[in-house]
Amino acid sequence: MEKDIIIDVTSTEVSIALLENKRLIELNKEQINDRCAVGDMYLGRVRKLMPSLNAAFVDIGQEKDAFVHYLDLGLNFVAIDYFTQQILSKKRGAALYPSIKLGHVLEKEGKIADILKPGRPILVQVVKEPISTKGARLTSDISFAGRNMVLLPFSQRIHLSSKIVSKEERKRLERLIYSILPSNYGLIVRTAAEGKRAAVLDAELRGLIKKWEDAWGKMEQNIIPQRLVSENNRATTILRDLLNDTFSSIHINDEALCDEVSDYIATIAPEKEKIVKLYKGNTPIFEHFEVAKQIRSSFGRIFPMRHGAYLVIEHTEALHVIDVNSGIRSKMATDQEGNANEVNRMAAEEIVRQLRLRDMGGIIVIDFIDMDASDNRAKLFRYMQELMSNDRAKHTVLPLSKFGLMQITRQRVRPAMEINTSENCPACQGTGKVAATVNLSDSIENQLVYYVKEKGIRHLKLELHPYVSAFLTKGFPSLLLRWKYKYNCRLKLIPSNSCPMLQVKWSDQNGVCLDIL
């Protein structure tokens, strides 16, 4: 499968489109501001405790206080908290960290009021971005993700990905990791590490450790709240998790980001460095690669599918609801059960794409077309599981209920992508009322008088709806001829389907747009 990444950089945001066989699969938008992102690490201050929730609100310098639950503090929070308080009391991190003892673990059934107090500094990391009225979700179980591994400070655990099945390779990686891993560090070895040379893994490990150690210097400044570590921008994060041999190209319209991505790929996958290309065309990059067209057609409340079937997608605070409709497709088959099964399978493919494209998380309820055969319902459930297996977000798919509803839970770490594909009616400006059609010809004539007599422009072009153009040119003499003789001017009509029914656009003989002042 051919994969491409298209990155559009503007003054306010970076938009990243992932295409599979030229079809838009994922769309990410990263605002260029100070908003917290998943993976960012902060030195915050406990604002207040919520004993009923066994949680605390933490000030990390954002608009809304962030939230940390007792169970998210991590088993080694005692060591993390000791390290944090010691550095804030002017101890040097380089001398302190190797001597930290990790023996005492946090009790699973403990109370947060016994561990934290309001005003206490705390080291935290963002695991879920602010969504709606809720602040960010935090953890004190610090980690740093790389291409081939995840570094775990204050840990001694070493885990290998279960997808690495070769026993020889697992033993090789275990020996290698134990030989290069310093004390008080744990590691999760990702699937991408399979077959990688020792030098590559050692270099990445050193880079992740340096990122953690660089945060110590900022902590020593004793500025609270403060962002200590910023996660890679969304572009490099996506590349870190997705980049493989199937990627054919990465097109970027910003030279600085192009150089940054090239350097990053040269580090994690030197053989793929040549696929990064700087786009220099005059046409907007999303227009050139037909991403904008797919965005316009893919986002919206109603999404049309093949053969007249369509989806209706509704978003609420608690969940997302998707309704599958056969539309005119129901008239194309005599077997109702077979038709329902075919439409449901087609809808399942598109729903999986929409979940990734809109980054819909939380609870998703899908109302498929009713099927009487239990075998067909079971097949649809298994097919949906198969389709969802390629989704990077953690998820659970439940079988169809007796009401024909399928429930999916999908990890939500940031707000769902919403792009408004509707706009106010250009004729009524959203009021629901337009000028009477009987007055349209009088309005056009008044504008013509203004341009000819007030502005002295005698060569004019008028772009208007084809129906209005036909009305002005019908009969003999037509209104158009009468106006030409009456006002001694040249007037050319340009019928245009893109022009609203009751609106016109004036321009001079050179095509320069004119405005009524």
Side-chain angles (χ1 to χ4, degrees):
M1 181 181 293
E2 182 180 311
K3 293 183 180 179
D4 304 282
I5 287 183
I6 313 299
I7 303 178
D8 180 23
V9 181
T10 67
S11 59
T12 58
E13 67 180 12
V14 177
S15 301
I16 306 151
L18 172 62
L19 307 181
E20 291 184 358
N21 295 330
K22 308 302 180 183
R23 192 167 186 235
L24 182 64
I25 298 298
E26 287 188 23
L27 179 65
N28 293 273
K29 289 182 178 290
E30 180 182 11
Q31 300 295 323
I32 301 177
N33 54 25
D34 197 39
R35 187 170 179 269
C36 65
V38 173
D40 287 357
M41 189 172 74
Y42 288 85
L43 180 60
R45 190 183 298 278
V46 177
R47 177 82 74 177
K48 61 180 178 180
L49 301 180
M50 300 293 290
S52 60
L53 300 176
N54 205 16
F57 285 102
V58 180
D59 177 19
I60 59 173
Q62 297 295 317
E63 182 179 352
K64 300 183 182 71
D65 285 344
F67 176 87
V68 60
H69 192 272
Y70 175 84
L71 296 177
D72 292 326
L73 294 178
L75 293 177
N76 294 303
F77 179 75
V78 174
I80 297 171
D81 184 58
Y82 173 78
F83 178 77
T84 303
Q85 308 308 322
Q86 290 297 308
I87 282 193
L88 295 179
S89 62
K90 306 302 181 182
K91 294 288 182 65
R92 301 291 294 179
L96 179 63
Y97 184 80
S99 63
I100 294 288
K101 295 183 179 180
L102 305 178
H104 185 69
V105 297
L106 208 63
E107 297 179 5
K108 291 185 178 181
E109 303 298 329
K111 303 295 183 183
I112 199 164
D114 299 332
I115 303 298
L116 298 178
K117 302 296 179 185
R120 187 175 182 84
I122 181 173
L123 190 65
V124 290
Q125 190 171 31
V126 177
V127 293
K128 183 184 291 186
E129 294 179 10
I131 297 174
S132 184
T133 59
K134 302 176 183 177
R137 181 74 179 260
L138 304 175
T139 181
S140 284
D141 200 0
I142 306 300
S143 64
F144 297 91
R147 168 69 173 165
N148 301 298
M149 61 187 68
V150 179
L151 180 69
L152 307 172
F154 304 101
S155 176
Q156 295 175 334
R157 298 176 298 162
I158 295 180
H159 297 288
L160 272 69
S161 169
S162 59
K163 294 182 180 179
I164 302 176
V165 295
S166 170
K167 292 183 179 180
E168 292 76 12
E169 179 63 13
R170 294 180 70 88
K171 290 180 180 179
R172 183 188 77 88
L173 289 172
E174 283 182 1
R175 290 195 301 268
L176 174 60
I177 296 305
Y178 276 114
S179 68
I180 64 176
L181 190 64
S183 62
N184 285 342
Y185 285 106
L187 205 66
I188 298 174
V189 181
R190 306 180 74 174
T191 310
E194 187 172 10
K196 293 294 174 61
R197 294 181 294 107
V200 174
L201 299 179
D202 183 59
E204 182 170 336
L205 176 61
R206 291 178 183 276
L208 294 176
I209 292 176
K210 184 178 184 302
K211 182 186 287 190
W212 164 231
E213 293 180 348
D214 287 345
W216 301 347
K218 295 182 180 180
M219 293 175 68
E220 292 167 0
Q221 298 172 6
N222 212 340
I223 300 174
I224 308 174
Q226 180 186 188
R227 191 193 323 237
L228 302 175
V229 176
S230 180
E231 177 61 290
N232 293 331
N233 61 55
R234 190 71 58 81
T236 53
T237 300
I238 290 174
L239 291 173
R240 180 191 70 201
D241 296 337
L242 289 181
L243 188 65
N244 54 41
D245 293 338
T246 62
F247 273 85
S248 58
S249 62
I250 301 172
H251 296 274
I252 308 173
N253 65 347
D254 180 78
E255 187 171 359
L257 183 58
C258 185
D259 292 340
E260 181 181 342
V261 171
S262 294
D263 292 342
Y264 181 73
I265 291 184
T267 302
I268 66 171
E271 71 281 1
K272 306 292 289 184
E273 186 179 1
K274 293 182 179 179
I275 69 175
V276 182
K277 302 172 184 176
L278 178 63
Y279 175 75
K280 297 181 180 180
N282 295 323
T283 307
I285 188 170
F286 272 14
E287 293 285 352
H288 178 78
F289 290 99
E290 297 186 349
V291 175
K293 179 181 178 181
Q294 294 190 59
I295 292 175
R296 288 192 294 267
S297 63
S298 297
F299 287 85
R301 178 175 173 269
I302 298 177
F303 179 81
M305 298 186 295
R306 302 188 304 273
H307 308 306
Y310 62 95
L311 303 176
V312 179
I313 304 174
E314 298 280 6
H315 306 280
T316 72
E317 183 72 17
L319 49 81
H320 307 277
V321 181
I322 303 176
D323 183 31
V324 180
N325 292 276
S326 58
I328 61 173
R329 178 69 176 79
S330 59
K331 302 176 183 179
M332 299 177 64
T334 56
D335 179 8
Q336 181 178 355
E337 182 76 8
N339 179 73
N341 185 41
E342 185 177 343
V343 172
N344 283 339
R345 288 177 66 88
M346 179 173 59
E349 297 173 4
E350 188 54 48
I351 288 170
V352 171
R353 172 176 173 260
Q354 288 289 328
L355 294 183
R356 292 179 63 186
L357 187 57
R358 304 185 188 213
D359 204 6
M360 295 162 60
I363 300 173
I364 300 103
V365 178
I366 307 169
D367 183 11
F368 283 105
I369 300 173
D370 292 337
M371 295 183 293
D372 295 328
S374 59
D375 186 48
N376 285 337
R377 294 197 295 271
K379 286 181 179 178
L380 178 61
F381 168 61
R382 290 193 295 270
Y383 188 53
M384 178 63 82
Q385 285 184 311
E386 178 186 340
L387 294 172
M388 290 291 292
S389 64
N390 294 322
D391 195 334
R392 290 179 293 126
K394 295 179 182 178
H395 60 270
T396 302
V397 182
L398 299 181
L400 273 77
S401 70
K402 62 181 180 180
F403 299 114
L405 301 178
M406 178 179 287
Q407 299 176 65
I408 298 176
T409 59
R410 187 174 184 271
Q411 182 184 26
R412 177 166 65 174
V413 297
R414 57 181 61 90
M417 176 75 65
E418 292 187 33
I419 297 178
N420 187 10
T421 57
S422 63
E423 59 185 26
N424 285 340
C425 170
C428 69
Q429 303 302 321
T431 63
K433 298 179 179 180
V434 296
T437 55
V438 295
N439 296 329
L440 181 60
S441 60
D442 292 338
S443 175
I444 295 175
E445 185 175 5
N446 291 337
Q447 294 174 28
L448 177 63
V449 172
Y450 170 79
Y451 285 123
V452 173
K453 294 189 175 181
E454 298 292 332
K455 293 293 187 179
I457 305 174
R458 296 193 173 275
H459 296 263
L460 292 160
K461 295 179 180 179
L462 180 61
E463 184 179 349
L464 68 179
H465 194 277
Y467 288 173
V468 181
S469 175
F471 172 75
L472 296 180
T473 55
K474 73 174 182 178
F476 185 83
S478 64
L479 276 176
L480 178 62
L481 283 174
R482 279 185 270 172
W483 289 345
K484 287 181 177 180
Y485 283 109
K486 182 177 180 180
Y487 302 111
N488 190 23
C489 65
R490 292 185 180 179
L491 179 59
K492 180 180 179 181
L493 301 186
I494 304 175
S496 172
N497 286 317
S498 63
C499 197
M501 179 72 76
L502 302 181
Q503 285 191 356
V504 296
K505 298 178 182 179
W506 293 90
S507 59
D508 61 19
Q509 60 181 340
N510 297 320
V512 178
C513 184
L514 303 173
D515 294 322
I516 295 290
L517 301 177

